[in-house]
């Protein structure tokens, strides 16, 4: 009765592939003596030599070795096929798309995303910018999106959402311009605004007019970090969430000139999400939102 092991078959096939004991030992990470010993045990079990060994010459498979090699390859293939049939197929991760704002996406969510995906391999989380606030609101009401995380002024801007944190919208400027605004409060403020294609551009202009801010446009910026740099260089004042300034600007670079109201970080998750997925997402987004708020209050 044959009693050779799978390890001996593995070593035998590696010797055949490497055409020698030395290269097989290097490939398998074991000594050449161990290779030779296992081949000798295998040959004893089979009752005959598998290789022709000659001093100073490469080993060669004997006809018996060729026959056993074909049987060993078939054995390995059948074993792999059986393992694939018996092993449960790994489930594909569930793809979930969450709409969020550029500040939350770039400054908070994207840096924390790799750790979330590592801890939740069953979730493929996609973070995207919404087409427009009005579109997103309608999509939530008609149950066409899986989730959204946004900074909003009023709860009805993100229907069926929960409050995670809040932060202040404020007017910021470099010390020189801040002093000028305080000294001449009746004059229009030279203001930097997002580019028209920025997702928050239209909403910010509407909010400024509603808040009664008297301004004239001094320039535009594509991203918050660019806007903060322009404001720090004296190009104009900036209306932005305090959490954004805290996360992007060194302390003392910009001064808070005037608070313009409290904004809420709100989360909507579709009721059709799996409960465990919804819980994992809620914990992740809450941690991110609270972290931003805490840093802006320090």
């Amino acid at each position: 009765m044959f009693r050779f092991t799978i390890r001996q078959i593995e070593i035998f096939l590696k010797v055949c592939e490497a055409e020698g004991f030395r290269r097989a030992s290097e490939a398998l990470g074991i000594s050449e003596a161990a290779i030779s010993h296992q081949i000798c045990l295998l040959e004893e079990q089979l009752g005959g030599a598998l290789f022709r060994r000659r001093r100073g010459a490469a080993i060669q498979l004997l006809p018996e070795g060729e026959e056993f090699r074909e049987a060993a390859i078939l054995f390995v293939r059948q074993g792999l096929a059986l393992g694939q049939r018996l092993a449960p197929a790994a489930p594909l991760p569930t793809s979930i798309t969450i709409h969020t704002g550029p500040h939350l996406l770039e400054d908070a969510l994207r840096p924390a995303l790799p750790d979330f995906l590592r801890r939740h391999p069953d979730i493929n989380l996609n973070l995207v910018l919404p087409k427009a606030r009005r579109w997103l609101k309608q999509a939530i009401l008609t149950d066409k999106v899986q989730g959204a995380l946004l900074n909003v002024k009023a709860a009805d801007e993100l229907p069926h959402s929960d409050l995670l944190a809040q932060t202040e919208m404020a007017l910021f400027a470099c010390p020189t311009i801040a002093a000028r605004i305080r000294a001449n409060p009746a004059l229009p403020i030279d203001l930097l605004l997002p580019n028209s294609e920025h997702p928050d551009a239209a909403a910010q202009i509407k909010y400024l007019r509603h808040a009664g801010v008297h301004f004239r446009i001094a320039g535009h910026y594509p991203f918050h970090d660019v806007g903060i740099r322009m404001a720090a260089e004296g190009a104009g004042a900036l209306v932005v969430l305090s959490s954004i300034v805290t996360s992007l600007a060194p302390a003392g670079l910009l001064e808070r000139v005037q608070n313009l109201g409290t904004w809420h970080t709100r989360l909507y998750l579709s009721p059709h999400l799996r409960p465990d997925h919804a819980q994992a997402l809620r914990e992740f987004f809450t941690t991110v939102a609270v972290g931003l708020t805490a840093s802006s209050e320090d």
Side-chain angles (χ1 to χ4, degrees), residues 147-266:
L149 179 74
L150 289 177
N151 289 314
V152 295
K153 175 60 178 174
D156 62 358
E157 294 182 47
L158 201 64
H160 311 309
S161 61
D162 298 321
L163 175 65
L164 300 187
Q166 59 186 36
T167 185
E168 292 296 321
M169 179 72 77
L171 179 69
F172 289 88
C174 68
T176 301
I177 291 184
R180 187 186 309 162
I181 294 173
R182 295 187 184 103
N184 303 281
L187 294 179
I189 299 171
D190 290 330
L191 206 61
L192 300 171
L193 293 175
N195 288 343
S196 57
E197 61 270 18
H198 193 286
D200 290 340
Q204 186 171 121
I205 292 176
K206 180 180 178 181
Y207 176 73
L208 288 170
R209 289 172 177 166
H210 180 74
V213 177
H214 187 33
F215 66 92
R216 59 190 177 196
I217 300 176
H220 293 87
Y221 58 86
F223 305 105
H224 286 124
D225 58 340
V226 177
I228 288 174
R229 185 171 66 248
M230 292 171 64
E233 293 171 352
L238 198 65
V239 173
V240 69
L241 294 173
S242 58
S243 59
I244 296 178
V245 174
T246 303
S247 62
L248 296 179
L253 188 67
L254 297 179
E255 293 184 7
R256 186 187 307 224
V257 180
Q258 179 185 351
N259 283 334
L260 299 175
T262 300
W263 280 53
H264 301 152
T265 304
R266 303 191 68 91

Side-chain angles (χ1 to χ4, degrees), residues 4 8 86 146 218:
F4 52 80
Q8 288 171 344
L86 295 179
Q146 294 174 298

Side-chain angles (χ1 to χ4, degrees), residues 57-194:
I59 63 171
Q60 292 180 327
L61 273 174
L62 294 169
E64 294 82 1
E66 289 282 3
E67 184 178 352
F68 184 74
R69 177 176 175 274
E70 293 178 4
I73 292 173
L74 180 61
F75 173 80
V76 171
R77 288 175 178 170
Q78 290 176 337
L80 291 174
L82 178 62
Q84 291 174 350
R85 288 198 301 270
L86 295 179
L92 294 175
T94 300
S95 183
I96 300 175
T97 298
I98 301 295
H99 297 263
T100 188
H103 163 50
L104 288 167
L105 175 62
E106 297 298 334
D107 306 324
L109 294 174
R110 201 181 297 281
L113 184 59
D115 182 63
F116 173 83
L117 296 177
R118 179 184 58 79
R119 290 186 290 108
H120 301 280
D122 57 331
I123 298 177
N124 180 23
L125 182 57
N126 303 304
L127 302 170
V128 300
L129 298 176
K131 299 176 182 178
R133 295 291 178 96
R134 183 179 300 177
W135 171 88
L136 182 59
K137 180 177 180 179
Q138 186 61 30
I140 291 174
L141 292 174
T142 55
D143 198 20
K144 293 182 179 179
V145 294
Q146 294 174 298
L149 179 74
L150 289 177
N151 289 314
V152 295
K153 175 60 178 174
D156 62 358
E157 294 182 47
L158 201 64
H160 311 309
S161 61
D162 298 321
L163 175 65
L164 300 187
Q166 59 186 36
T167 185
E168 292 296 321
M169 179 72 77
L171 179 69
F172 289 88
C174 68
T176 301
I177 291 184
R180 187 186 309 162
I181 294 173
R182 295 187 184 103
N184 303 281
L187 294 179
I189 299 171
D190 290 330
L191 206 61
L192 300 171
L193 293 175

Side-chain angles (χ1 to χ4, degrees), residues 28-39:
L28 294 173
I30 58 178
S31 69
E32 189 172 343
I35 293 280
S36 179
H37 177 66
Q38 291 298 325
I39 293 297

